[in-house]
Structure formats: structure tokens, C-alpha cells
Amino acid sequence: MLKRPDPFQALCPTRRVLDRIGDSWAVLILVALEDGTLRFNALRRRIENISQKMLSQTLKSLERDGLVRREVFATVPVTVEYSLTGLGRTLSQTVHQLTLWAEAHIGEVEAAQRRYDQGLAPPDGRSPAPLSLR
Amino acid sequence: MLKRPDPFQALCPTRRVLDRIGDSWAVLILVALEDGTLRFNALRRRIENISQKMLSQTLKSLERDGLVRREVFATVPVTVEYSLTGLGRTLSQTVHQLTLWAEAHIGEVEAAQRRYDQGLAPPDGRSPAPLSLR
DNA sequence: CCGTATCCTCTGAGATACTG
DNA sequence: CAGTATCTCAGAGGATACGG
């Protein structure tokens, strides 16, 4: 059978993952943990101006998804370490492809935006209104 | 110099692209246009339950980013066709990698969630509280 | 140190109605 | 057909304070 998920249907798995990627904080945490284990407050300093609430909340959902591992050590005061799971690492690598796209093409995107914000004219020369006949 | 963008800084290019991907509607539109050109209302039917407002708005920003091309034909009533640009196609292909990840790993994610929602126990056998000493 | 609880704000998406 | 213009409302997320 192997029915492929239909991304046009809300609630489809693909869509749920995509929403995760859309979660800017989640992505930043994945990236931050790529270089290794970090403690709660270390993460907090690394990801400038993330609120305590969002860090805690996002970490919890990443842990729930099996992407991040949380380890508590009974020191005083308590120590909590976060790291990527194997699954988390595969996702962060995939996300990395996206950041490569961004770095490679951001220039084109910005150029397109400038064109659009002026008189929206595509790369060719014609100045004013793009309007074809048929 | 070639300074790499710092994703931890809001407003960095990478982050802007990531936010785009997080925009569920934008991704759905890119995917919908992969198979070819579509008219406004065709897109609307294809992407079930997207509102007119969001479709129009998202298309506009995708056009601004140079990812989608908009062509107007002077028929009566007017005809408007949307298609991917070359740039848009490269992005939609990259996004496709992400959907592949989703399809490949959604099972693991859901399994992790079930474990978490019960007594949060990692894959090993120990039942109750994960807590290490040091 | 590592969080949770509470309150409060403000954006952003949906519904609806109207136009070229 | 292909949009724009308003309105409303929920809920994401920041600030703050407190607890284990």
C-alpha cells in the first residue's frame, strides 16, 4: 500500500515536521547543539534573547519528539545537560542543507525583492506593467 | 572575508529563509506548483482550506522573493497564472529533502512521543525517572 | 541552577463582504 | 475570475515573580 502522505491535508506528518522547522527557536536549538552538549543556561546565553519560557518549552517538545536528550545530574545545585539524539542529528543535518540554500541564494532573493519594491520588473528590460495577451 | 551569517542573530539571511519554510502556506504553494502552472482558483482548490486572503498574500510575498512568477492574461474575465521560477524550483527541491526526512522518520518521532507521553522512558528498559549521578 | 506559573500584549489568520 | 478591505478573535510569546 505505502500511501504517501498528502501534504495538502493539515495534520499530515510532513506538515507537522515542516511546522517544526518553521519554529525558529527549535531550529536554533538544534543548530546550537550540533557542536555538542550544553546546559540550560549555556543554551540561553548562546541563543541571544530567547526567553526562559520559550527555551524551556521548546526543549521540552524537542525532547518529546525524540530529537533532543535531557540528562539530569544530582549535583547541588542541579545540573541539566541537553544534547542531540541520533535522530536529532539526522534532522539537523537535513536542516543544514536548507541553510546552505539560504547562504547560496539569499543574494538572488534580495535582488528580486529590490526589483519588486521598485517597479516590479522581472530581470528583463521592459519597465512597466507585466501583462501578456492571449 | 566571506563572513558566514550568524543564525543566532535575528534578521540573518538564513533565519529569514527558515522562517519562510516555517510558513506552512508558502511551502504548500511551492509544492503545489512543482507539477506546473496553476491559476489562482485552481491553487485554491488544490490547497484545501487555505483562505483567499492567505493565498493572495502568500503568493505576493513569494513573487516578491523571486520564487514564483505571476502572469496576467488580458482575457475576459482576466486570467492569472502562477508558476515556479528557476530559483523557486531550486528551493522547492531543497524543501523536498525535508519532506523525505519527514516521511522516513515520522514513525520514530511518533514513537518517541508515545514514550514521552506515558512515563517518559528512553528506549532502554528502566521504568521511572531518568536521573544520573555525577 | 533550572525551571514553572501568571499575566498581559499584539500579531496574524479566518470570516465576510465588496470590486475591477 | 482574481483579488482587496475590514473586523474580530485566539493564541504565541515576552515580562515578571516565585519554587525545587
Side-chain angles (χ1 to χ4, degrees):
Chain A
M1 271 293 110
L2 244 294
K3 201 165 56 169
R4 300 202 103 216
D6 173 10
F8 296 108
Q9 200 159 335
L11 303 171
C12 105
T14 300
R15 200 122 151 219
R16 303 220 305 283
V17 171
L18 250 17
D19 285 350
R20 215 72 182 68
I21 300 311
D23 180 346
S24 201
W25 294 134
V27 171
L28 289 176
I29 290 174
L30 290 179
V31 171
L33 291 178
E34 264 173 355
D35 322 329
T37 297
L38 285 177
R39 311 237 310 257
F40 187 87
N41 281 332
L43 265 170
R44 208 177 156 195
R45 281 186 297 273
R46 185 90 199 280
I47 305 177
E48 215 164 323
N49 69 32
I50 187 175
S51 65
Q52 211 170 22
K53 178 187 175 185
M54 289 315 293
L55 180 54
S56 159
Q57 185 174 306
T58 308
L59 278 170
K60 201 181 295 182
S61 69
L62 287 172
E63 188 197 359
R64 184 175 114 98
D65 290 348
L67 300 167
V68 160
R69 173 173 33 248
R70 177 179 187 274
E71 289 180 289
V72 182
F73 299 96
T75 54
V76 282
V78 66
T79 300
V80 182
E81 291 187 347
Y82 292 93
S83 55
L84 291 184
T85 62
L87 188 61
R89 216 176 327 273
T90 67
L91 179 55
S92 82
Q93 279 163 11
T94 307
V95 168
H96 190 233
Q97 298 307 308
L98 223 45
T99 71
L100 290 181
W101 187 95
E103 291 172 19
H105 297 285
I106 188 66
E108 293 169 71
V109 170
E110 288 175 341
Q113 291 176 347
R114 280 191 296 275
R115 278 195 303 275
Y116 187 97
D117 292 341
Q118 292 170 12
L120 48 150
D124 55 47
R126 300 165 301 156
S127 296
L131 186 154
S132 311
L133 293 191
R134 184 170 264 178
Chain B
M1 270 292 106
L2 245 293
K3 200 165 53 167
R4 299 202 104 216
D6 173 11
F8 296 106
Q9 198 159 338
L11 301 171
C12 106
T14 300
R15 197 120 155 223
R16 302 221 305 284
V17 170
L18 251 17
D19 285 350
R20 217 69 180 73
I21 300 311
D23 181 347
S24 200
W25 294 134
V27 171
L28 288 175
I29 290 174
L30 290 179
V31 171
L33 290 177
E34 263 174 356
D35 323 328
T37 297
L38 286 177
R39 312 236 310 256
F40 187 87
N41 281 331
L43 265 171
R44 205 176 157 196
R45 280 186 297 273
R46 186 89 200 279
I47 307 177
E48 215 163 321
N49 70 33
I50 187 175
S51 67
Q52 210 170 25
K53 177 188 175 185
M54 289 316 293
L55 179 56
S56 160
Q57 184 175 306
T58 308
L59 279 170
K60 201 179 295 181
S61 69
L62 287 172
E63 188 196 359
R64 184 175 113 98
D65 290 348
L67 300 167
V68 160
R69 175 173 32 247
R70 178 179 186 273
E71 289 180 289
V72 182
F73 299 97
T75 54
V76 279
V78 67
T79 299
V80 183
E81 290 187 349
Y82 292 93
S83 56
L84 291 183
T85 62
L87 188 61
R89 215 174 327 273
T90 67
L91 178 55
S92 82
Q93 278 163 12
T94 307
V95 167
H96 190 234
Q97 298 308 307
L98 222 46
T99 71
L100 290 182
W101 187 95
E103 291 172 20
H105 297 285
I106 187 67
E108 294 170 71
V109 170
E110 289 175 341
Q113 291 176 348
R114 279 191 298 275
R115 277 195 303 274
Y116 186 97
D117 291 342
Q118 292 170 13
L120 46 148
D124 54 47
R126 300 165 301 156
S127 297
L131 186 155
S132 311
L133 294 189
R134 182 171 269 177

